[in-house]
Each structure stands twice: as structure tokens, then as C-alpha cells.
């Protein structure tokens, strides 16, 4: 007699297996706040500030930062050297020294050592704020006096950094958002200047071919962001610059690589190439004023990057970053170049690509060091058409402005806060739309207010202190979610940050009202 299979046992075991599988599937597929939070944390860890991307991604991402910075970085030595009537060889040396120290300053800022470096993805370059004073000093006392005053300015910045960092409390979201917005809007003049390359007094407008290449590059960046795979979308600006340059090769005169053949393969950047520095009191005072402007702009840039990468800057970090600025400026004076600051256009690139790693900036710094000692490679990069750079600049600088708007969404726009933003942006844009507006004022006034970024930051800080009084801040203490440290917040902002918010962040108003009615909890 053939035994009957134990169907019940088999079916029971199978049922238990199916039940366990079903439970597992249910646990896996059921929407869970914890699992979503874990996924967000995993994504943030994979794209964190301290994450080192693979070399195959790290190099192109770093090169992208170099291309965004390059035109602005070489402009200052060209302007100052040209005003002092220096030879082509001396100009080439100034550019090499500039790139070399920019790379070192960037590495110090991004990697950091001891109390130097903010340890965020920030690029360092020579500041435009010092151009006017340096030309005046050079014409009056010679270039060695420029370098002496630059060294003194750097030492001053290192010493004052911890005290300047205490000003962080004057940069709440209403101020930082306004300053970041001003940075993006002010830089649009740089992008427009690149597109205007080749215009003359007889034909003052931008050449149509430049406009075509600028907007063609911009369109290509948008299409790459929309349709390309994620790895290519990360380097959309780099691809736009490369494709735009290759297309420009078919237009006579657009790409100028005539200096590539003449450039050497290797050059040593020697300290005190033009002679030992000389120190003159009035020149030092003038450059120290520049240093204060630099620190104000760098503070805005560091806060902007901290907002973008979701790692708010602390007072200690701010002091470390300002010290790195000072150290880069001291090295600049020693190695025949000028004061250094964070480059705002690269802040926009961080926002556009979404790559948070500070080691991308470190790679860009290494590339700059290489460009500084290999003039031939530097000459190739210099050949990128300015019109192509202008198209990329529209996207980069626009992203900076958009980051400022994003920060301002944290603030309730009552009449006072609207007034703070309106007046700050208006004052900041005056020298942008009319560069000669302050020509009849003293040089110290022009130094501060010709830079829309520093002028706007000062106005925003003062107006916030005046209009957002302590009483006004106390009136926001009943907000169930958000701190009232900068101004009164609105229910829309509270909804966006509420733990029950989903999707667009909108939740029933009754939930917020219930939160307000809850008794305060004991912190213990």
C-alpha cells in the first residue's frame, strides 16, 4: 500500500513560507517613514561633502570648475599687468603665478589643515575688488609695493578672522538669501561681458555670432540636463563648453590658440620674481580695506555653499575659511600675485550639478596647480571662446540667484522683510546697471559700493537690525516648528517643515493649529 503524502504538513509549511514571504513583501513595499528617511540618508551619504567620488568622475567634475573659473582668474593679472605696461613674458608669468596660487589656496580651503579652510566645495581666485587700488599703487610706487601691501592685507585677514566670524549672527536667512540673490544678479554682468567680446565703439552691441554661440551653449546645457544619463548630466556645463568650443572651430577667429605653440611646457613659479616686497603705509591701509570687502564677500559665498550642500556654516568654520583666504593672500604676495577670495560663479556650479563633495574642488585645485606650471596646457584652456563661457555663465550665475530665492522662502514676507530685500537688491544693482555712478566719490567709498555684493550685504545687515527688532522676533516664538531667529515666519513655511508634510509639503491647517495648542514639553 502506497503511503499517502502528508499533504497537510506540506501545505502548512508552504503556507508559512508564503505567509513569511507575503509579510516580507508587505514590509518591503509598505510606505514607511523610516525607510524613506533611510534612503534619503543613504543618498546624502553617497553624495556628501566628505565623500570622494571615483577618479573617472572626479577629474571631469574638477575640470568643469576650472573652466568656470578660468576666465575670471586670468583677467586680473592681465588687467593689472596691462595697466603697468608689462611685457608679454611678464604677463605670462603673472598668469602662471595666479593659477598656481589659486590652486594651492583652493586645496587649503577645501581640504583644510588645523584652523585653515572651511572644508566645503569652494574655489579660490583673485578678487576683482582689488584691481583699482592695485593699479593706483603700482603706478605710484611700483609692483613690489603692490605685493608688500598684499602680504600685509593677508596677515591682517588671518588675525581678524576669529573676530569677523562673530558677525555670523548678523547673517540670518533674510540677509543670507538676499546676499546670495545679489551675488547671482551682480555676476550676470560678467556673463554679458563675455558675450560682448569683440564689440567696438562703432558697433557697441554684442556680435550676433557671439549671441548665437552663447545661447546655443546654454540650450545644450539644458538639453543635457533633461535628456542625458545622470553621469553626463553632472558635467553638463563641461560638455557644453567642450561642444561649444569644437563648434566654434568652424568659425574663423572664434577660437584663438595662437599662443599654444609659443607657450612652454614647464615653468617654475619663483617667489619675489619682481624683487623683494616694499611696504608703504597708505598702500597697506588701502589694501586692508580691500581685505574687509573680500571677507564680506567670502562670508556670503561660504554661507551660500553651506545652504546648497545642506551643511550650514558654523562660526568656527567661517573663521577657518577666512583664515584660508588670508593665507592665500599672503602666498599671493610672496609668489607675485594678488588677494584671493571665494569665486561666486563656482557656487552656482555646485548648485547646478548637485555634486556636494569638497574633493571635487580639491581636484580642481590640483588642475590649477598643473596649469600654473605647464603654460602650454594653460594656453589651450585660455582658447575657450568667451561667448561660449558667457552662455555657461548665464546658467551658473542664474543658479546662484535661484539659491538665494530658495533661502528666502524660509522667511515670511511681511512688509518689513520685503523692504529689506527690495532696498538691498536695488542698492547692489546700481553699479551693475551704471558702472560709473560713483565716479565722483572718494576712492574708499568706491571701493565698497562699486562692489554690489559688499554694498548689498552691508545694507541688508543694517536694515535687518533696524526693521526686525527684538520685539518682532519674540512675536514669532509661538511658531510650532520653526525658530524665529530672523523674523516672523508664516504658516506656509511651517507646513513645509512639518514632520507630517508630504508631497508638496501642504498639510491641513488644523494640524498646525493643534500644534499651537499643545502644552510645551519638558526638555528633560
Amino acid at each position: 500500500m502506497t503511503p499517502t503524502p502528508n499533504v497537510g504538513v506540506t501545505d502548512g509549511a508552504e503556507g508559512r513560507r508564503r505567509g513569511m514571504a507575503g509579510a516580507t513583501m508587505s514590509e518591503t513595499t509598505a510606505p514607511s517613514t523610516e525607510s524613506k528617511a533611510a534612503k534619503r540618508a543613504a543618498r546624502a551619504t553617497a553624495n556628501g561633502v566628505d565623500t570622494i567620488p571615483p577618479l573617472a568622475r572626479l577629474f571631469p567634475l574638477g575640470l568643469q570648475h576650472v573652466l568656470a573659473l578660468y576666465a575670471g582668474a586670468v583677467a586680473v593679472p592681465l588687467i593689472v599687468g596691462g595697466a603697468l605696461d608689462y611685457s608679454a613674458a611678464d604677463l605670462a608669468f603673472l598668469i602662471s603665478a595666479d593659477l598656481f596660487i589659486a590652486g594651492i589656496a583652493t586645496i587649503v580651503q577645501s581640504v583644510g589643515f588645523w584652523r585653515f579652510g572651511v572644508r566645503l566645495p569652494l574655489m579660490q581666485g583673485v578678487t576683482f575688488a582689488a584691481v583699482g587700488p592695485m593699479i593706483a599703487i603700482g603706478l605710484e610706487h611700483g609692483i613690489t609695493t603692490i605685493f608688500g601691501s598684499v602680504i600685509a592685507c593677508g596677515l591682517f585677514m588671518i588675525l581678524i578672522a576669529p573676530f569677523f566670524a562673530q558677525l555670523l549672527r548678523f547673517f540670518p536667512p533674510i540677509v543670507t538669501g538676499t546676499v546670495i540673490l545679489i551675488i547671482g544678479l551682480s555676476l550676470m554682468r560678467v556673463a554679458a561681458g563675455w558675450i560682448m567680446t569683440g564689440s567696438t565703439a562703432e558697433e557697441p552691441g554684442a556680435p550676433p555670432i557671439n549671441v548665437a554661440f552663447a545661447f546655443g551653449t546654454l540650450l545644450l546645457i539644458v538639453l543635457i540636463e533633461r535628456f542625458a544619463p545622470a553621469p553626463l548630466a553632472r558635467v553638463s556645463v563641461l560638455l557644453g563648453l567642450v561642444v561649444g568650443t569644437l563648434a566654434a572651430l568652424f568659425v574663423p577667429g572664434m577660437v584663438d590658440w595662437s599662443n599654444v605653440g609659443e607657450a612652454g611646457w614647464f615653468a617654475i613659479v619663483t617667489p619675489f620674481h619682481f624683487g623683494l616686497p616694499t611696504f608703504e603705509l597708505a598702500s597697506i591701509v588701502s589694501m586692508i580695506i580691500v581685505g574687509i570687502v573680500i571677507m564680506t564677500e567670502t562670508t556670503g559665498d561660504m554661507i551660500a555653499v553651506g545652504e546648497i550642500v545642506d551643511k550650514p556654516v558654523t562660526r568656527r568654520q567661517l573663521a577657518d575659511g577666512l583664515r584660508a583666504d588670508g593665507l592665500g593672500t599672503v602666498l599671493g604676495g610672496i609668489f607675485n600675485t594678488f588677494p584671493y577670495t571665494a569665486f561666486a560663479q563656482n557656487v552656482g556650479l555646485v548648485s547646478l550639478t548637485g555634486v556636494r563633495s569638497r574633493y571635487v574642488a580639491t581636484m580642481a585645485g590640483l588642475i590649477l596647480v598643473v596649469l600654473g606650471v605647464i603654460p602650454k596646457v594653460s594656453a589651450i584652456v585660455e582658447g575657450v571662446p568667451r561667448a561660449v563661457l558667457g552662455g555657461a555663465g548665464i546658467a551658473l550665475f542664474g543658479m546662484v540667484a535661484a539659491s538665494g530665492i530658495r533661502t528666502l522662502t524660509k522667511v515670511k514676507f511681511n512688509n518689513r522683510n520685503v523692504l529689506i530685500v527690495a532696498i538691498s537688491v536695488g542698492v547692489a544693482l546700481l553699479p551693475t546697471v551704471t558702472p560709473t555712478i560713483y565716479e565722483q566719490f572718494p576712492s574708499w567709498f568706491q571701493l565698497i559700493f562699486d562692489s554690489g555684493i559688499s554694498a548689498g550685504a552691508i545694507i541688508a545687515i543694517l536694515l535687518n537690525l533696524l526693521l526686525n527688532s527684538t520685539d518682532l522676533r519674540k512675536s514669532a516664538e509661538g511658531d510650532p516648528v520653526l525658530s524665529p531667529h530672523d523674523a516672523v515666519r508664516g504658516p506656509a513655511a511651517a507646513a513645509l517643515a512639518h514632520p507630517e508634510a508630504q508631497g508638496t509639503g501642504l498639510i491641513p491647517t488644523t494640524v498646525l493649529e493643534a500644534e499651537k495648542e499643545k502644552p510645551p514639553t519638558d526638555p528633560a
Side-chain angles (χ1 to χ4, degrees):
M1 183 176 179
T2 306
T4 304
N6 193 347
V7 178
V9 174
T10 305
D11 288 347
E14 182 66 23
R16 283 194 298 273
R17 281 196 297 270
R18 289 178 181 174
M20 292 174 64
T24 304
M25 184 177 296
S26 174
E27 291 174 2
T28 305
T29 56
S32 167
T33 304
E34 290 78 5
S35 62
K36 290 180 180 178
K39 289 178 181 179
R40 285 196 298 269
R43 285 196 298 269
T45 303
N47 185 27
V49 172
D50 299 318
T51 303
I52 304 177
L55 184 61
R57 292 183 58 222
L58 189 62
F59 180 79
L61 289 170
L63 180 60
Q64 187 171 236
H65 271 286
V66 171
L67 292 176
L69 165 140
Y70 191 87
V74 302
V76 174
L78 285 173
I79 294 170
V80 175
L84 300 181
D85 200 23
Y86 272 50
S87 65
D90 285 337
L91 286 176
F93 184 87
L94 285 174
I95 292 173
S96 294
D98 175 24
L99 296 174
F100 182 75
I101 299 301
I104 293 177
T106 298
I107 293 170
V108 171
Q109 193 70 276
S110 59
V111 175
F113 71 94
W114 189 49
R115 297 302 301 275
F116 291 86
V118 71
R119 294 172 173 84
L120 288 175
L122 271 177
M123 297 292 296
Q124 299 291 112
V126 174
T127 177
F128 284 87
V131 169
M134 288 192 300
I135 291 176
I137 293 170
L139 292 175
E140 181 72 21
H141 303 287
I143 197 167
T144 56
T145 305
I146 293 178
F147 298 143
S149 60
V150 168
I151 293 172
C153 173
L155 292 173
F156 170 81
M157 291 168 67
I158 292 173
L159 292 174
I160 202 177
F163 306 102
F164 200 91
Q166 298 305 313
L167 300 179
L168 189 61
R169 67 181 183 275
F170 297 119
F171 288 87
I174 183 65
V175 174
T176 57
T178 302
V179 172
I180 297 166
L181 175 62
I182 288 169
I183 290 172
L185 296 178
S186 298
L187 286 171
M188 282 299 172
R189 184 171 65 176
V190 177
W194 287 336
I195 299 172
M196 289 284 290
T197 300
S199 63
T200 61
E202 293 77 18
E203 298 179 353
I209 188 69
N210 284 12
V211 175
F213 269 91
F215 282 95
T217 303
L218 182 60
L219 176 61
L220 181 60
I221 291 171
V222 172
L223 293 177
I224 292 172
E225 282 285 339
R226 173 63 181 84
F227 296 107
L232 293 181
R234 296 287 191 185
V235 291
S236 59
V237 175
L238 174 61
L239 291 176
L241 292 171
V242 170
V243 174
T245 302
L246 292 176
L249 288 172
F250 297 95
V251 180
M254 281 288 291
V255 181
D256 183 12
W257 280 333
S258 58
N259 295 328
V260 175
E262 301 173 2
W265 281 104
F266 185 75
I268 299 176
V269 179
T270 54
F272 308 125
H273 175 78
F274 296 96
L276 292 175
T278 53
F279 300 91
E280 196 267 331
L281 183 58
S283 301
I284 291 173
V285 172
S286 175
M287 201 57 65
I288 283 176
I289 295 174
V290 172
I292 294 173
V293 174
I294 291 171
M295 296 173 85
T296 303
E297 293 186 358
T298 299
T299 297
D301 290 333
M302 284 192 284
I303 292 173
V305 169
E307 291 274 349
I308 292 168
V309 302
D310 294 327
K311 189 176 182 181
V313 178
T314 63
R315 286 188 179 88
R316 174 167 178 168
Q317 276 185 294
L318 179 58
D320 293 348
L322 295 175
R323 279 195 200 93
D325 258 15
L327 178 60
T329 300
V330 170
L331 292 175
I334 294 173
F335 284 89
N336 322 285
T337 184
F338 312 117
Y340 283 84
T341 185
F343 258 40
Q345 49 261 54
N346 294 88
V347 175
L349 188 55
V350 173
S351 179
L352 182 63
T353 62
V355 178
R356 304 178 179 185
S357 173
R358 58 192 171 107
Y359 295 103
V360 171
T362 305
M363 172 57 71
L366 291 172
I367 295 172
L368 285 171
V369 170
V370 171
L371 292 176
V373 298
I374 304 179
K376 193 173 288 292
V377 177
S378 179
I380 293 174
V381 177
E382 191 178 0
V384 175
R386 296 295 180 266
V388 174
L389 281 173
I394 294 173
L396 296 178
F397 307 153
M399 286 300 297
V400 176
S403 297
I405 295 172
R406 181 174 60 187
T407 302
L408 287 173
T409 60
K410 301 176 183 178
V411 180
K412 178 184 178 182
F413 271 98
N414 54 23
N415 288 340
R416 295 182 180 187
N417 285 336
V418 169
L419 198 60
I420 291 171
V421 177
I423 295 177
S424 302
V425 172
V427 171
L429 290 184
L430 286 177
T432 299
V433 297
T434 308
T436 59
I437 190 170
Y438 298 126
E439 277 195 356
Q440 297 187 33
F441 283 76
S443 57
W444 65 266
F445 185 93
Q446 293 183 44
L447 185 62
I448 297 172
F449 283 87
D450 269 346
S451 170
I453 298 171
S454 58
I458 292 170
I459 297 297
I461 292 169
L462 294 177
L463 287 177
N464 182 59
L465 292 175
L466 176 65
L467 297 178
N468 282 329
S469 63
T470 304
D471 293 338
L472 185 66
R473 292 169 188 161
K474 285 182 178 179
S475 68
E477 289 178 354
D479 193 306
V481 177
L482 299 174
S483 167
H485 70 278
D486 65 317
V488 179
R489 306 299 188 102
L496 289 172
H498 197 279
E500 293 188 21
Q502 295 180 359
T504 60
L506 298 178
I507 59 174
T509 307
T510 53
V511 175
L512 295 177
E513 295 300 327
E515 290 282 353
K516 289 183 179 180
E517 294 173 2
K518 285 182 181 178
T521 56
D522 186 356

